Amino acid sequence: MTLWQEVLNVQNIGTEDHFLSLGGNSIKQISLRSKIRMAFNVNLTIEDLFLCPTIRSQASHILTLPVLESIAGKNEIVPISTNENGYSISNEQLRIWLASQFEDHSKANNMSYTYHVNGDFKVELFKKALQEIVNRYEILRTGFEVNEAGEVIQKIVDEIIIDTIFDYKIVDENFDENDAKEHLKNFNDQAFDLKKAPLLKFLLIKISDNKFILSTLMHHIIGDYTSDKIIISEVMRLYKAYEKGSSIQLSTVHVQYKDYAYWIKNRLTNNEFSSEKEFWENYLENVKQQPKWYKNSNTDNFDGAYYSKVLSSEFIGEIKKYCVDHNYNLMGIMTIALGILIHKIGGQNDIIIGAPINLRNHPNLIGQVGLYLNMAPYRVKINGQNKIKEIIDETIKNQVKIFDNSFYPFDSIIEDFDHKHNFNLMDRIDLYVNFINHEEANDNHSLENISFVPQEKIIKRSKFPICFYINNNQEEVSYFIEYQKNVFSDLEISKLGERFLLCLKQIIDNQYETVEKISLIDKKSIPTFSLK
């Protein structure tokens, strides 16, 4: 019960309470699995948690599992020896490195965030906290080179002085919104030289004693969304301690990103992913080539735009109740809604949706900064005569298995698929979706008398033709569509967004109907829809 309380941040829990009804989700399931594995030395899977959603059922199942000598065993990630010649990179890093050899592609992999900061913000304390975080994580001091053997390697710099990456500007009262946009545009439009560490920068503009603009820029090859959250959280904790004149002990970093990259490479070399390889080959069996449901562009252009929508609180309540009642998760329901949406628009019966998976489900990677992501192809197979519930059950059953096979690199999945099917799996991905669970939104990471207000991006880019971002933030669920402007028009995307909600609503209300009876026509909106 203690493990549930830690993961869910809920104290009053009964042995028959459903995990989802207490605020659980797929990310928290992964966290719970890691804690149970470490506490009981058993090889518990995500599928086990899905089938056993209560404390009582989980306890009964754990008793049936063999106790391992060490839960880590051969899968433990351990620090590797220092190597002046550099270190291996992960498969995901190599994919991003190759794409980033072209400037526009590299800029598309920049992660930028901007905030208006109001209050008694002490710049030197903030810089001191940033310095400690840069010292703490080697990946924040890492560049990438090609060695004599032609291999891309990581090179870690021993020390980075924060002033070299922290641009602090003080402006006067004549500084206006246009001036701010110009500064932010210039800052966020930089292309990193991947050979030169670090691959992150900060811009702070002081407008007055209590008014600032803060912008951060990080290349995706060294971090992800969760990394950004971890950095912010730890910087805030350090800042508060410095402000009070006290000290704080952050959790010990037992392994660094180079250790993880070596671990992945070593497991591939030793053929330790054989079961994962077999799962993916079976899962993607009989995937056929088919035309896109939209007219793709023949040229690379990452100029992007966004469309966003917040779901009503009433609708959110309906969705979450539906998930609890049927032991589904929000991620699965949203994926299926997108699959059915594409089926209704383009007639595809076998939809492939690309989604990143957070790999911090490994006990050694919890709370780590770095690119701990792997892309996974989710498959939604649809027959118009299938009942909606049949599609949901099949898709979610496979989804939980995907979590248990998530460490097998996406590049290896693509290579295996190409060898067997003679075409590139990437060409079959219909759209991308990124599920963002804003965990522990009530954590006390704010600063007293200081507010950080997120701002809209000045430069909008999209790496993919279209990507849905699903944001689950406690009581609020929203989504925004990031898309390339040379592929989709604003009107097409707004219509797509409307029909996504219609599709989601009909899935929940009519699960025993067949897919062919789902209608995406709302008489209150535009009655026709074509992307061809």
Side-chain angles (χ1 to χ4, degrees), residues 103-206:
E103 184 173 301
D104 285 349
H105 287 258
S106 185
K107 288 181 179 180
N109 278 293
N110 282 350
M111 299 167 53
S112 63
Y113 301 94
T114 298
Y115 309 87
H116 282 177
V117 183
N118 301 302
D120 185 18
F121 186 55
K122 297 178 175 60
V123 178
E124 291 305 314
L125 295 186
F126 185 71
K127 287 168 59 179
K128 182 181 177 181
L130 285 175
Q131 181 71 71
E132 185 162 341
I133 298 303
V134 170
N135 295 344
R136 176 173 165 82
Y137 296 105
E138 290 178 350
I139 192 65
L140 301 182
R141 295 179 276 113
T142 296
F144 299 83
E145 300 178 5
V146 179
N147 64 15
E148 293 180 356
E151 301 169 323
V152 184
I153 58 171
Q154 301 183 61
K155 296 284 284 187
I156 300 168
V157 177
D158 291 334
E159 183 181 27
I160 295 291
I161 304 302
I162 199 68
D163 282 331
T164 63
I165 59 172
F166 193 96
D167 187 5
Y168 183 34
K169 298 181 182 297
I170 301 176
V171 298
D172 57 32
E173 63 275 5
N174 295 321
F175 187 83
D176 60 20
E177 184 177 345
N178 290 330
D179 295 324
K181 286 183 177 179
E182 188 64 26
H183 277 77
L184 292 170
K185 181 179 178 181
N186 292 335
F187 175 74
N188 287 290
D189 199 33
Q190 300 178 76
F192 283 102
D193 181 348
L194 299 188
K195 297 187 295 293
K196 297 179 180 178
L199 302 178
L200 77 162
K201 298 180 180 182
F202 304 89
L203 170 66
L204 183 67
I205 302 173
K206 180 179 180 180

Side-chain angles (χ1 to χ4, degrees), residues 77-83 86-88 138 154 156 254-263 266:
I77 304 173
V78 297
I80 61 177
S81 302
T82 301
N83 187 346
Y87 306 92
S88 301
E138 290 178 350
Q154 301 183 61
I156 300 168
H254 295 288
V255 297
Q256 298 283 351
Y257 192 85
K258 70 179 190 298
D259 308 318
Y260 158 77
Y262 175 82
W263 174 76
N266 194 52

Side-chain angles (χ1 to χ4, degrees), residues 99-352:
S100 297
Q101 298 311 294
F102 303 93
E103 184 173 301
D104 285 349
H105 287 258
S106 185
K107 288 181 179 180
N109 278 293
N110 282 350
M111 299 167 53
S112 63
Y113 301 94
T114 298
Y115 309 87
H116 282 177
V117 183
N118 301 302
D120 185 18
F121 186 55
K122 297 178 175 60
V123 178
E124 291 305 314
L125 295 186
F126 185 71
K127 287 168 59 179
K128 182 181 177 181
L130 285 175
Q131 181 71 71
E132 185 162 341
I133 298 303
V134 170
N135 295 344
R136 176 173 165 82
Y137 296 105
E138 290 178 350
I139 192 65
L140 301 182
R141 295 179 276 113
T142 296
F144 299 83
E145 300 178 5
V146 179
N147 64 15
E148 293 180 356
E151 301 169 323
V152 184
I153 58 171
Q154 301 183 61
K155 296 284 284 187
I156 300 168
V157 177
D158 291 334
E159 183 181 27
I160 295 291
I161 304 302
I162 199 68
D163 282 331
T164 63
I165 59 172
F166 193 96
D167 187 5
Y168 183 34
K169 298 181 182 297
I170 301 176
V171 298
D172 57 32
E173 63 275 5
N174 295 321
F175 187 83
D176 60 20
E177 184 177 345
N178 290 330
D179 295 324
K181 286 183 177 179
E182 188 64 26
H183 277 77
L184 292 170
K185 181 179 178 181
N186 292 335
F187 175 74
N188 287 290
D189 199 33
Q190 300 178 76
F192 283 102
D193 181 348
L194 299 188
K195 297 187 295 293
K196 297 179 180 178
L199 302 178
L200 77 162
K201 298 180 180 182
F202 304 89
L203 170 66
L204 183 67
I205 302 173
K206 180 179 180 180
I207 301 172
S208 67
D209 288 344
N210 295 292
K211 188 175 182 181
F212 302 80
I213 299 175
L214 173 66
S215 191
T216 68
L217 188 67
M218 175 192 294
H219 199 281
H220 193 24
I221 198 169
I222 66 166
D224 51 22
Y225 172 78
T226 304
S227 295
D228 187 73
K229 286 191 64 181
I230 293 169
I231 292 170
I232 291 172
S233 171
E234 293 185 349
V235 166
M236 295 297 129
R237 292 178 63 194
L238 289 168
Y239 182 101
K240 285 190 280 189
Y242 297 154
E243 193 173 34
K244 294 177 181 178
S246 59
S247 60
I248 185 173
Q249 186 66 43
L250 298 176
S251 60
T252 303
V253 178
H254 295 288
V255 297
Q256 298 283 351
Y257 192 85
K258 70 179 190 298
D259 308 318
Y260 158 77
Y262 175 82
W263 174 76
I264 285 284
K265 183 177 181 179
N266 194 52
R267 291 199 69 197
L268 284 168
T269 301
N270 295 333
N271 197 30
E272 294 177 9
F273 282 116
S274 56
S275 63
E276 289 90 340
K277 176 184 173 74
E278 182 180 4
F279 165 80
W280 284 109
E281 287 181 347
N282 292 334
Y283 180 66
L284 296 171
E285 186 71 32
N286 297 322
V287 169
K288 307 295 184 184
Q289 288 179 297
Q290 66 182 22
K292 293 289 188 186
W293 55 279
Y294 57 85
K295 186 182 293 184
N296 209 346
S297 172
N298 295 322
T299 59
D300 287 335
N301 187 328
F302 301 101
D303 290 340
Y306 307 142
Y307 171 91
S308 61
K309 192 82 170 180
V310 178
L311 278 62
S312 70
S313 57
E314 181 182 358
F315 190 28
I316 293 169
E318 291 178 23
I319 296 172
K320 292 191 173 182
K321 184 179 185 302
Y322 178 78
C323 287
V324 171
D325 290 346
H326 297 88
N327 197 26
Y328 297 149
N329 60 66
L330 183 65
M331 177 179 178
I333 294 301
M334 294 288 190
T335 301
I336 292 155
L338 289 170
I340 293 177
L341 176 65
I342 293 172
H343 166 76
K344 300 298 287 189
I345 292 172
Q348 282 81 352
N349 295 321
D350 193 357
I351 294 89
I352 306 292

Side-chain angles (χ1 to χ4, degrees), residues 500-512:
F500 171 60
L501 289 183
L502 283 172
C503 193
L504 186 59
K505 176 69 173 172
Q506 291 187 54
I507 285 174
I508 292 171
D509 291 345
N510 305 295
Q511 64 171 339
Y512 294 107

